[in-house]
Amino acid sequence: QVQLAESGGDSVQAGGTLRLSCVALGATYSNSMGWFRQAAGKEREAVAAIDREGHTIYTKSVKGRFTISKDNLKNILYLQMNNLRPEDTAMYYCAGDPTPERLFLAVGAGANSDGISYWGKGTLVTVSS
């Protein structure tokens, strides 16, 4: 069983930066990982994903501003967020799945993410103008 725990959410001004972390416990070596977000009153949105080999994908609205990365030795997933905008305000969730396509299709094609295997409880990011 994989357990995910996010941290790093905070309140920042527009243009600011944050780095989210997700500690993964359990059999994480075979999983691709990703970040999702859900703003109040909106549907969950896939933000970025990374597979076991380090290939990455980003949703269009964060490309060039956010960077997903991972530390395989420490089993930590990161999301570096630069030049934050008020529209980035949301609860951010870490997710993992043995099948990379589930994450990559969610990010790249807006595919349904309900079948993704592992989820954290989320960390709140608030960006004020």
Side-chain angles (χ1 to χ4, degrees):
Q1 184 68 20
V2 175
Q3 294 179 319
L4 305 175
E6 306 92 335
S7 63
D10 205 345
S11 296
V12 297
Q13 296 280 331
T17 65
L18 282 175
R19 188 176 79 160
L20 305 184
S21 299
C22 172
V23 176
L25 301 177
T28 59
Y29 59 90
S30 61
N31 290 299
S32 294
M33 303 294 293
W35 289 97
F36 291 73
R37 66 186 180 186
Q38 188 166 19
K42 295 188 177 181
E43 293 187 356
R44 185 171 60 205
E45 176 188 24
V47 175
I50 185 168
D51 67 11
R52 289 181 295 171
E53 289 74 31
H55 301 112
T56 59
I57 188 171
Y58 299 90
T59 193
K60 185 178 180 181
S61 63
V62 308
K63 206 171 290 186
R65 301 188 298 122
F66 291 10
T67 303
I68 188 171
S69 62
K70 58 180 180 171
D71 184 326
N72 289 326
L73 292 179
K74 297 181 180 179
N75 280 340
I76 301 177
L77 178 73
Y78 299 104
L79 185 67
Q80 177 68 40
M81 305 188 294
N82 298 331
N83 191 20
L84 282 159
R85 303 168 180 170
E87 53 264 38
D88 295 319
T89 295
M91 186 72 79
Y92 283 72
Y93 299 91
C94 172
D97 199 282
T99 306
E101 288 79 8
R102 288 180 180 163
L103 288 160
F104 276 64
L105 286 173
V107 177
N112 188 287
S113 57
D114 289 346
I116 289 173
S117 299
Y118 310 113
W119 293 91
K121 295 185 183 300
T123 186
L124 181 62
V125 172
T126 303
V127 185
S128 57
S129 57

